[in-house]
Structure formats: structure tokens, C-alpha cells
Amino acid sequence: MDFMKRLFFVIFSLVLFGGFVSAQSSQVVTDILNTEEVTYGQVCYLSAIHQGLISDDASFDDAVKILYEKKQTPELLSTSTPACLVNLSYIYMQMWPNVDGGLFYRLTKGSPRYALKKLKADGLIDDTMDPLATLSGKDALDILSSCMFQYGDDSECMSMDLE
């Protein structure tokens, strides 16, 4: 899927999950796409918006705080710290609590390590990627849209076939 289709899908998904995309949330998506290293604040914002935990005019601090309170982050994260792949995987997996992450994922109550292993096993993340690697905003949004296609229900997914 090319870049423009993924961008359209992410913006369309925000419309579905956050009501209407406001100027702020579409600006956030644009900012994320243009960033060289996605931050925990940005990743938590996308997750919290998707789950309907915050409004689209909430801050990154609000997003991090609500996900921490709901035990959807492994620790209280700094909003400006670049997100590493293992924690990004953990945050994304929390968006779909019914996904079977495998035996060790369940035994560890969804540890970041096994969240990453699940995304790698499902082919959403390259097997060779370093768990501590940071990602560009585009790469983080690509993984998010792949997760939506893989784990989301019909309300999250739509056909990208253009005729």
C-alpha cells in the first residue's frame, strides 16, 4: 500500500474513532508524518484517540497520563522522549485487547517484549528490527494502519481499492 493510501486510511480512521477530525487532530497527524522520531506523546495520543479515551483537543500529556492510569503503558512516559519500537508495540497492542498474543503474552499480562514478538510474528514489523530502535512518524503510522487492518473490526477497516 503506498504512502497516500495509508495517510488517507489514518485520517479516515481518526474520523471514525474521534467523531470528526478537527483542525488540531489533523495537524497532529501531519506533524507525526513529518517527524523524524515519533515521541511517546504522539503515540499515546493516537492510541487514546482511537480508543475514545480523550477528545481530539487533548494534549499529549493528557494522552500519556490516561494510558498510564489504564495500565496501557509500561511506565509513566515522558511525552517528548522518542518512542522505541518495543514500547510502541505494547501501546498499539493495548488498542485491541481481544487479540490473542500467544501464551507468553498472556502469562506476562501483555509484556512489551511479547507485544513486539506478536507484531513481528504477524508480519506487521520486520523481524530484523531492533526493539530499542526509534521510528519516524511515517513508520509509526504505517505500523498503526497495519494493526488496524490486521486486528480491527469492519468499522476500523475499509477497502482501499480504487476503481
Side-chain angles (χ1 to χ4, degrees):
M1 184 178 303
D2 70 359
F3 175 74
M4 290 307 292
K5 285 183 181 179
R6 285 193 185 261
L7 173 62
F8 175 75
F9 178 74
V10 169
I11 291 173
F12 180 78
S13 297
L14 286 173
V15 169
L16 285 177
F17 305 118
F20 297 100
V21 175
S22 73
Q24 179 173 340
S25 62
S26 55
Q27 183 60 48
V28 169
V29 171
T30 302
D31 292 345
I32 292 171
L33 281 170
N34 293 326
T35 192
E36 291 184 29
E37 288 186 322
V38 70
T39 66
Y40 285 117
Q42 293 168 323
V43 171
C44 290
Y45 179 87
L46 292 172
S47 177
I49 285 288
H50 175 273
Q51 297 177 73
L53 300 174
I54 60 171
S55 65
D56 57 354
D57 62 348
S59 69
F60 292 157
D61 288 329
D62 295 336
V64 168
K65 183 179 178 187
I66 193 75
L67 291 188
Y68 178 72
E69 289 170 358
K70 299 226 174 250
K71 300 186 182 350
Q72 292 188 17
T73 59
E75 59 188 282
L76 187 56
L77 303 164
S78 168
T79 59
S80 60
T81 301
C84 67
L85 183 61
V86 68
N87 287 339
L88 178 134
S89 300
Y90 178 77
I91 293 166
Y92 283 178
M93 283 291 290
Q94 302 307 305
M95 295 165 70
W96 296 277
N98 296 327
V99 171
D100 178 22
L103 176 64
F104 287 105
Y105 184 76
R106 287 189 308 272
L107 286 175
T108 60
K109 295 181 175 49
S111 79
R113 172 189 171 136
Y114 293 107
L116 176 62
K117 285 183 172 281
K118 172 64 175 171
L119 295 183
K120 284 183 174 185
D122 288 347
L124 305 179
I125 295 176
D126 188 335
D127 281 339
T128 61
M129 289 191 72
D130 179 3
L132 300 178
T134 57
L135 301 171
S136 70
K138 180 194 173 302
D139 291 339
L141 287 170
D142 283 348
I143 294 170
L144 176 60
S145 61
S146 295
C147 288
M148 287 178 174
F149 278 116
Q150 182 79 21
Y151 307 129
D153 59 22
D154 291 339
S155 68
E156 292 180 72
C157 300
M158 59 178 256
S159 172
M160 291 293 185
D161 297 329
L162 303 174
E163 295 182 27

